[in-house]
Amino acid sequence: NVEELVKTTKNYLEDGIMYYPCDQVCDYPEQFIISELIREKILYLTNEEVPHSIAVVIERMGRKKGKLLINALILVDRDSQKGIIIGKQGSMIKQIGIMARKDIEGILGESIYLELFVRVEKDWRNKKSKLLQLGYIQIDDDM
């Protein structure tokens, strides 16, 4: 009865104000979406091994040989997490890259070259400057 539910619900909805253009799918920047797709693959593939203390930063996006080149940095808290992300002989980071690239290409509609790097930055979640840099918090006007 899903179709009936949708049909009935639509009858009660009113047109609202358009807050952004019809062709705009999302109000987040491309780089944010790409970093979240990579982070999603990390969490999916590592299951419970890596806590949610990872961040992905898109360091550079540019063209190389007709493809979009994306350099992404994966930040972790500990050396052991870095080892998990990289995997035995690079197998985990390779799988993360394959899965993320497929999704990113689907969203962007073009071929990409995805380079992933992993860096340990101890206690990054408790450093206000790092949280600002990553966009997790915003600067207050009172500062």
Side-chain angles (χ1 to χ4, degrees):
N1 292 326
V2 173
E3 288 181 32
E4 186 62 31
L5 175 65
V6 170
K7 181 179 162 187
T8 303
T9 303
K10 282 184 178 181
N11 290 333
Y12 289 97
L13 297 176
E14 297 177 10
D15 287 336
I17 299 170
M18 289 186 63
Y19 291 103
Y20 46 88
C22 294
D23 61 342
Q24 185 175 341
V25 178
C26 180
D27 61 347
Y28 288 104
E30 231 175 39
Q31 290 187 348
F32 176 81
I33 302 296
I34 292 168
S35 67
E36 284 299 297
L37 285 170
I38 296 167
R39 188 169 184 273
E40 173 191 52
K41 301 311 174 205
I42 294 167
L43 296 175
Y44 174 76
L45 290 170
T46 59
N47 297 319
E48 300 298 320
E49 293 182 74
V50 177
H52 299 295
S53 61
I54 58 167
V56 178
V57 180
I58 304 303
E59 292 191 312
R60 189 174 71 133
M61 287 178 68
R63 297 258 166 224
K64 181 180 181 180
K65 297 180 182 176
K67 284 190 175 184
L68 179 62
L69 171 64
I70 300 172
N71 289 354
L73 173 65
I74 300 166
L75 285 178
V76 295
D77 270 339
R78 298 186 305 270
D79 290 321
S80 61
Q81 293 170 335
K82 181 178 180 179
I84 292 168
I85 298 294
I86 294 172
K88 187 175 182 180
Q89 297 180 332
S91 61
M92 181 61 73
I93 198 163
K94 180 179 179 180
Q95 191 61 34
I96 292 165
I98 289 168
M99 292 177 73
R101 186 175 77 317
K102 181 180 175 186
D103 284 359
I104 295 166
E105 286 179 342
I107 288 175
L108 298 180
E110 65 176 302
S111 293
I112 67 161
Y113 183 75
L114 180 62
E115 290 183 328
L116 300 176
F117 304 92
V118 184
R119 183 171 69 209
V120 176
E121 194 149 327
K122 297 194 186 310
D123 208 29
W124 68 265
R125 293 180 299 155
N126 295 320
K127 296 177 183 173
K128 191 171 185 176
S129 61
K130 183 52 76 176
L131 295 173
L132 280 168
Q133 180 186 2
L134 294 171
Y136 289 125
I137 60 172
Q138 295 188 8
I139 299 173
D140 293 334
D141 291 333
D142 299 336
M143 289 184 153

